[in-house]
Amino acid sequence: MAALKGLKSRLGEIQQYLELVESGKLPVNHDIIYELQALLYNKIQLTRSLLTESSVCYLAIVKSNDMMLVIYLSSMIRSVIALHNLIDNKETRARGNMPPAKELKKPPTASAKA
């Protein structure tokens, strides 16, 4: 969500800049306009390539999305299992049903051997 909020913020800044340039309050910066044109051109090319399902770009994006979905679901499942174990542990401790902690076996000291 933070990435989408950041994108929205940047697009708002671009819109404000273009409105100020259009009203004459700011001079035209040709480098910025060039970058915006390149950005829009790349977006159009990506959209066109997505429309043809046989394109390599489309297949790569679909495969990437599928892999990201699997990674996301795996992460969610691990989180749910960890949360479940944490809640079980907390309930067990609250009921007082925890088995006594195992004492660590201490290695024999030199005086104990004698």
Side-chain angles (χ1 to χ4, degrees):
M1 287 305 284
L4 291 176
K5 288 180 183 177
L7 177 62
K8 182 180 178 184
S9 170
R10 298 294 186 253
L11 291 174
E13 290 174 7
I14 291 170
Q15 180 182 4
Q16 289 175 349
Y17 170 76
L18 292 174
E19 288 171 354
L20 290 172
V21 168
E22 183 182 40
S23 67
K25 294 179 181 175
L26 281 178
V28 176
N29 184 331
H30 294 288
D31 292 332
I32 294 174
I33 300 300
Y34 174 77
E35 292 297 330
L36 287 174
Q37 286 176 337
L39 177 71
L40 293 174
Y41 177 77
N42 288 336
K43 187 235 180 248
I44 291 169
Q45 292 301 323
L46 179 61
T47 305
R48 283 186 188 158
S49 67
L50 286 176
L51 293 178
T52 58
E53 293 187 13
S54 63
S55 70
V56 174
C57 183
Y58 176 81
L59 297 174
I61 290 173
V62 168
K63 184 175 182 178
S64 175
N65 285 344
D66 289 347
M67 288 188 298
M68 294 306 279
L69 177 64
V70 169
I71 292 169
Y72 177 72
L73 288 175
S74 300
S75 178
M76 291 280 294
I77 290 169
R78 278 194 316 229
S79 298
V80 168
I81 290 171
L83 185 59
H84 178 71
N85 290 338
L86 180 67
I87 291 170
D88 279 349
N89 188 20
K90 183 178 179 181
E91 288 176 351
T92 304
R93 286 186 177 274
R95 285 184 295 217
N97 295 339
M98 282 298 290
K102 295 181 180 177
E103 291 184 23
L104 294 176
K105 293 184 179 179
K106 296 180 183 177
T109 60
S111 60
K113 290 182 183 178

